[in-house]
Structures are given as C-alpha cells and as structure tokens.
Amino acid sequence: MDIAKQYNHTFENIEIQKKLSDLSQKTALGNALNPRIPASVQTLNNLQQQVIFLPGEVFGQPGTLKKITTGQQYSSVFNIQPQFDVLNLANFSQVKSAKINKELTAVKSKIEERQLYDQINAIYFNIISFHGQTEILKQNIAIADSIVQITQNRFNEGVGRKQDLNEAQVNLITLHDQLEQLHFNTRIQEESLALFFENSFIPVLTENVGVFENTAHSSPVNNMLEVQDARLQLSMAEQELRIARLQHLPSLSFVSSFSWQNLSNTGFFHSASSWIDYSYVGLKLSMDLPTTVSKLSAIRNKQFQRSLLKNTYEHSIREAETKNGQLSLDYEKALSQLLNLKKIAQLKEDTYLKNFQQYEENILSLDRLLIAHNDLLNARLNVVTALAAIGFNKSRIDINNKY
C-alpha cells in the first residue's frame, strides 16, 4: 500500500488539495480586516479652461462684463487611500468557514485514500486468488493427463472405446483452456494494478492464499469518515447561512486619503509651479440593505440546504454503523464458509480416489470418473476462492480501521 503513495498521482493531488485549503484559510485570515490601498495618478491638460464673466464695475468699467479664465491648464494629482475594516462580522465569519473547509478537505482526502486502497485491495486479492487457482488447475491437468494415458492404453489394447478416449481428451483440453483463460485474466488484473502505480512497474505478488487458512477473528470495524464528512458539510452550511445574514449588518471601516496636486499654466511639473497637499482620515459606517428578492431568497435557500444536510448527517450515522457491521459479518461469513468448503473438498477427494482406483480396475465407467474429477476440481477452486475472500475481507477491515 505504501508503494502506491510513491507513484500514484492521486496522493499528489490530495496533497495539492490540502495546500489549497490551507491557502484559503490564510487568505480568509488576511481578509478579515479587508486591507486595501487604492492609489491613482492623474495628469490633465485643460485645453479649454472654464470662463466666467464679472461685472465691469469691479474694474472701473460700469455697464460692461469682464471675461475671466479660471483654473490652471496643467493639473497633476497623486492620490493614495489606505483603508481597512475595523468591524466586519461577515468577514470574520469567513475565517471559521475556511477552517471548516480545511477540515472537510482533510476528511475527503482520507475518504479518497481509503477508496483507492479498497480498489487496490480488490485487484490484489483477485490476483492472489488466480495464482492459487492456477496451481490447482496445474495439479488437475496432471490428473487429467493420467486419465488420458490410462484410457489411451486401453484403447490401444483394444479393450477401450474411442468415445471414452475422446471424452478424456476433451476433459484435458478443457482444463488447459481454463488455465490459459486464467493466465489472461491474471494479466488483465496485473495491468489494472500497475495503473495504480502509473504503469511505472508491474508488481510481482508472491503471497500465497494458504497464509489465510488460520486467520484469527478480526477486531470490530469503527470507520466514521462519512459521518465526519456529513457533519462538516452541515457545519459549512450553517456557517454560510450565518455569513449570509451577517452580510446585511453594518460594517465599520477606517478610511483615509492623502493627495498631492501640482498646478501650472506653463507645463507639467514646471519649476515655478505650485504644490497643494490635502488629506483626511475618518471612519465610515456602511450597510447593504437586503432590498432585492435575490438577496432574501439566498438566505432562505441556505436554510433549505442546511435542513437537507442535517438529514444527511443523521442518516450517515446509521449508514456507517450498518456498513461497519456488514464488513465484520462478511469476514465472519468467509471464515465459516472455508470450514465447510474444506470438508467438501476432503470428501470429494476421497470420492475421486476411490473412483480412480475402480476405474483402474475397469469396474467404473469413465463418465463417473470425470464427474468425480470435475467435482474435486471445483471443490478445490472453491477453497482457494474462500481463502482469498478471507484475506480480502480482513484487509478491508484493516483499511477501514486505519482511517
């Protein structure tokens, strides 16, 4: 399992997701005060300045109007406005939302890891089972070959039927075909397993199903990842509802402005031009009134989502308990089934050996012997499958308890 972490890109993606959630939390902390520093630079050439007319009496010319041009032709302004929120409850609530999201990402990552290990576990024990079945088929091919030899000798001696020889050869060919198909299925599973390691290599599995014959009873399963996931999703929905409500409360901000203006009728930033500085600092209280239907319905929508997720959370508790119980029952079932299948295999082997002796003595028909042989083969294959099932279910329990 640990090898998968070195090669499978899923684990790399999981780490990236964790880093993204961590970045979101840090961003939320930084945005709690919502600091911002708008800055601007503006230069204007007033090609046509504003004109006003003053009464001529001012200039000693009664009855006339005097045309006066006002303002400066060249105007440059530098402005910087540092601001931050002194009290913004919605932004502060975003910090908790980001924290919940980080926890939720961690839980989902564990679920994704567990699912990946479950998939590897299934393929692994398919291959282990196929290896065991391969050995059984090879042993039974040797048995089938000996039956063909006996039948061939009898036919050559003129005391056997051609039909019996045909059936014995068909039985041998069928077993060879089963073995060949099993090799193909094993290769398919091995390539599927290699994909979990990004095809960097094809793992060579040497474990034998026989090691699971004396497996002890396992510990109880206590995996509650889905419950944690549902609980955190509910917490996230409740937090988003809280944020939506707090966004309609007033926010208090610190505001300021510092400006430098250069005025001239000669040119931009002329040496004889004048500089004018002005600034202010203060507090601003602002409020976004919920005047639109969309804003009001957004709150109602989040209330419905919270109700749905609450039901999902409550159901996930019962579902997790059932799933954990089923994992234990599957394992106990596999252990119990192995005992019965081993007894059946022993009885089928005894029946086959007696039938084979009788066939050698020519007091039993070939079809009866072939039936006994096939029954023995199936019984042995069932034992191998049961052993693999024990290992598979035991490993499933270990994986679930790990997470």
Side-chain angles (χ1 to χ4, degrees):
M1 295 296 183
D2 292 334
I3 301 176
K5 286 190 174 182
Q6 300 178 21
Y7 295 94
N8 194 285
H9 290 331
T10 300
F11 293 97
E12 183 179 350
N13 292 339
I14 287 173
E15 290 303 316
I16 293 175
Q17 291 170 0
K18 290 179 180 178
K19 290 179 181 178
L20 286 173
S21 65
D22 185 60
L23 177 61
S24 297
Q25 184 181 20
K26 293 177 180 178
T27 302
L29 286 170
N31 284 335
L33 297 179
N34 192 20
R36 51 208 184 274
I37 308 178
S40 63
V41 178
Q42 176 179 277
T43 58
L44 299 176
N45 184 347
N46 299 301
L47 300 176
Q48 293 183 345
Q49 296 170 270
Q50 186 177 359
V51 176
I52 61 174
F53 293 89
L54 298 177
E57 286 80 355
V58 178
F59 305 97
Q61 298 177 358
T64 64
L65 293 174
K66 184 68 174 179
K67 181 179 178 182
I68 302 296
T69 301
T70 62
Q72 301 287 323
Q73 182 177 354
Y74 301 98
S75 173
S76 299
V77 180
F78 300 87
N79 181 258
I80 184 170
Q81 298 176 310
Q83 305 173 41
F84 62 88
D85 290 341
V86 177
L87 181 62
N88 190 323
L89 297 178
N91 284 353
F92 290 147
S93 294
Q94 291 285 1
V95 176
K96 185 176 180 181
S97 178
K99 181 181 178 181
I100 296 173
N101 179 66
K102 184 178 180 179
E103 294 175 359
L104 184 60
T105 300
V107 170
K108 287 188 177 298
S109 297
K110 290 182 179 180
I111 292 175
E112 197 171 351
E113 286 183 27
R114 188 198 62 195
Q115 291 174 342
L116 183 66
Y117 284 143
D118 278 337
Q119 294 172 11
I120 294 176
N121 183 54
I123 296 175
Y124 177 87
F125 280 98
N126 279 341
I127 297 174
I128 295 298
S129 177
F130 289 163
H131 286 172
Q133 293 176 46
T134 297
E135 294 304 315
I136 296 297
L137 279 169
K138 287 180 179 179
Q139 295 171 10
N140 281 266
I141 286 174
I143 294 173
D145 187 62
S146 65
I147 295 174
V148 170
Q149 293 300 323
I150 295 173
T151 309
Q152 180 72 57
N153 292 336
R154 287 181 180 178
F155 178 73
N156 293 339
E157 295 171 359
V159 294
R161 300 186 308 166
K162 184 64 168 62
Q163 297 95 313
D164 288 346
L165 179 59
N166 290 343
E167 291 303 316
Q169 290 174 338
V170 167
N171 183 55
L172 181 60
I173 293 171
T174 300
L175 291 177
H176 276 294
D177 179 67
Q178 288 183 23
L179 182 60
E180 185 177 356
Q181 297 303 315
L182 195 57
H183 284 157
F184 281 120
N185 289 334
T186 303
R187 286 179 57 188
I188 291 172
Q189 292 295 304
E190 287 175 343
E191 290 180 0
S192 297
L193 184 60
L195 183 58
F196 286 98
F197 307 101
E198 305 300 336
N199 292 331
S200 299
F201 64 94
I202 297 179
V204 178
L205 308 184
T206 58
E207 192 170 24
N208 189 288
V209 290
V211 301
F212 305 109
E213 189 165 357
N214 299 315
T215 306
H217 293 269
S218 66
S219 57
V221 186
N222 187 29
N223 185 289
M224 305 298 284
L225 278 180
E226 278 75 14
V227 176
Q228 295 177 35
D229 179 68
R231 177 181 58 80
L232 288 171
Q233 288 193 50
L234 175 60
S235 298
M236 179 66 78
E238 292 174 341
Q239 189 63 17
E240 288 180 350
L241 175 60
R242 187 176 296 109
I243 292 171
R245 287 170 172 168
L246 291 175
Q247 284 176 341
H248 301 302
L249 295 180
S251 62
L252 183 65
S253 303
F254 168 82
V255 294
S256 63
S257 178
F258 302 91
S259 300
W260 296 265
Q261 187 176 37
N262 183 272
L263 303 174
S264 174
N265 281 321
T266 307
F268 290 115
F269 308 110
H270 191 267
S271 58
S273 62
S274 59
W275 283 89
I276 301 175
D277 303 342
Y278 52 94
S279 61
Y280 67 81
V281 294
L283 298 174
K284 181 177 72 173
L285 187 67
S286 58
M287 182 175 181
D288 186 13
L289 296 175
T291 55
T292 63
V293 175
S294 60
K295 292 180 179 179
L296 295 173
S297 65
I299 295 178
R300 190 60 177 161
N301 181 271
K302 292 185 182 301
Q303 289 175 332
F304 287 135
Q305 291 179 5
R306 180 187 59 180
S307 299
L308 290 173
L309 289 172
K310 183 178 180 181
N311 292 335
T312 301
Y313 168 61
E314 293 174 353
H315 175 72
S316 69
I317 298 174
R318 295 185 288 271
E319 187 176 31
E321 292 172 349
T322 301
K323 178 184 174 183
N324 291 339
Q326 286 178 344
L327 286 173
S328 297
L329 286 174
D330 286 342
Y331 179 64
E332 297 298 331
K333 174 186 172 184
L335 288 175
S336 175
Q337 189 177 38
L338 175 65
L339 297 176
N340 294 326
L341 291 176
K342 286 174 66 178
K343 292 178 182 178
I344 292 173
Q346 291 172 354
L347 293 172
K348 290 296 183 180
E349 183 177 6
D350 183 65
T351 298
Y352 167 76
L353 291 175
K354 288 180 170 56
N355 285 352
F356 184 76
Q357 291 174 355
Q358 292 178 1
Y359 181 70
E360 284 184 314
E361 297 170 0
N362 204 18
I363 59 176
L364 185 75
S365 63
L366 177 65
D367 58 344
R368 293 279 301 276
L369 178 61
L370 293 181
I371 291 173
H373 178 223
N374 286 325
D375 287 346
L376 174 60
L377 171 63
N378 291 330
R380 287 176 171 176
L381 291 176
N382 288 339
V383 170
V384 169
T385 303
L387 287 169
I390 290 174
F392 168 70
N393 286 292
K394 177 65 167 59
S395 185
R396 284 181 70 196
I397 291 174
D398 293 340
I399 291 171
N400 277 270
N401 281 337
K402 180 180 178 181
Y403 289 94

